[in-house]
Structure formats: C-alpha cells, structure tokens
Amino acid sequence: MSKRLRVIGYVRCSTTEQQVSGLGLAAQETAIRYECERRDWELVDVVKDEGESGKSLDRPGLRTALARIATREVDGLVASKLDRISRSVADFADLLEWFNSAGATLMAIDVGVDTSTPGGKLVCGVFSAVSEWERDVIGQRTSDGLAARRAQGEPISRAAVADNPKLAARI
C-alpha cells in the first residue's frame, strides 16, 4: 500500500481587489480541497500570498511552503492554476528541477502537471526540455548577433586583441 501524500495548498492573488474580496483566493482553495479529496491526499495547510505578483518566486507564502517541503514536513505543493505558482517559464523550470531533486510532488490542477504520476513526470520533463532549448536558442542568437557585429567591425565590448589587427599581427 502506498503512503498517503501530505501536501500544502498554495493560493495567490496579485490585485488589491482580489485580496479584499477574497473571491479569487476562495475559488482557488475550493479547487485544491476538491482535488486533494478526489486523490485522497492529506491537505495539511493552505498557504496564501495575497497581493503578490507571480513574476518572481520571491514570495513569503511560497518560500514558507518550499521550506516545509524541504524539511519533509509535507510531500508536495498543490495549486489550482499554473500561473498561481509562476508566470515565468524559466522560474517554473527551476521549480520543477527543485521539486525533482527534493523528491517532492508539484501539482498544477488546471494543466494537469502532477509530478506524483509517470505521465506528470513526463510532462515536466518536456517543460524542462523546452526551457533548456529556449535558453540554448537565446544563447545561440546572442552569439550570432555578436559575431555579426564583430564581422562588421563594430565593437561588442571593451577593445580586445581581435579588434586591433596590428596588435594581433605583432603578437
């Protein structure tokens, strides 16, 4: 018999209106409670970040949840929507890597990301691969752009030996 997962629910809203009304947070929490009940997961706590942007992972509630996962107090994190966890592909890929190395579960109900299942791990692997590809493409574009500027005789940084043919020949 497998162990019952113990998870923390995570809810976030970024606007003052959502924070004051509580409606956005309540809907997120309802979805989390329903999913945990459906999966027979123990919902230990619901952590809230009210009035916090999803642009960064530096949020008090999220930091608290991750610390509790790191100490193995709980087995994972559940959010109703992926954009409640992160709005950045790079940050989400970093989070996936962190959850994988911590042996913890991450679930975003709306997109079916669930690292507790083989299919969910596959989806996360695809997300990570796409993110890695994106970083590589950006790096290649940067290298190509710098090479084109250099080929046109434009400096790309402080002067270097390659920028001074007489010095290069002398060396």
Side-chain angles (χ1 to χ4, degrees):
M1 184 170 140
S2 64
K3 176 184 143 193
R4 185 174 186 214
L5 281 179
R6 295 171 35 92
V7 297
I8 290 179
Y10 178 73
V11 299
R12 179 186 67 76
C13 67
S14 52
T15 67
T16 305
E17 293 81 21
Q18 290 171 323
Q19 183 179 354
V20 170
S21 75
L23 294 176
L25 297 175
Q28 292 174 53
E29 187 171 338
T30 297
I32 290 167
R33 288 187 183 284
Y34 172 79
E35 191 64 23
C36 288
E37 187 176 311
R38 188 180 79 76
R39 291 175 177 264
D40 193 31
W41 289 356
E42 181 182 349
L43 183 60
V44 173
D45 195 3
V46 176
V47 176
K48 299 176 182 181
D49 272 322
E50 300 179 65
E52 294 285 338
S53 170
K55 288 189 265 184
S56 163
L57 296 177
D58 188 20
R59 290 173 253 142
L62 184 60
R63 282 195 315 265
T64 297
L66 294 176
R68 292 171 74 181
I69 292 165
T71 62
R72 305 229 183 266
E73 178 185 337
V74 294
D75 305 307
L77 182 83
V78 179
S80 64
K81 296 183 178 190
L82 179 60
D83 70 354
R84 301 297 87 195
I85 300 169
S86 176
R87 290 191 176 271
S88 160
V89 173
D91 284 347
F92 185 65
D94 289 344
L95 266 180
L96 286 175
E97 190 173 313
W98 185 88
F99 273 86
N100 187 44
S101 67
T105 295
L106 175 62
M107 179 175 198
I109 299 167
D110 66 331
V111 292
V113 170
D114 177 1
T115 63
S116 72
T117 68
K121 287 179 185 174
L122 173 66
V123 169
C124 290
V126 170
F127 275 139
S128 295
V130 168
S131 179
E132 182 178 350
W133 170 82
E134 181 182 39
R135 282 191 300 266
D136 291 347
V137 167
I138 290 168
Q140 186 61 53
R141 275 192 215 126
T142 301
S143 295
D144 292 348
L146 293 173
R149 286 190 70 178
R150 184 177 291 264
Q152 293 171 351
E154 295 179 37
I156 58 170
S157 64
R158 292 185 297 158
V161 172
D163 297 324
N164 187 334
K166 288 181 185 177
L167 179 59
R170 194 173 103 203
I171 289 174

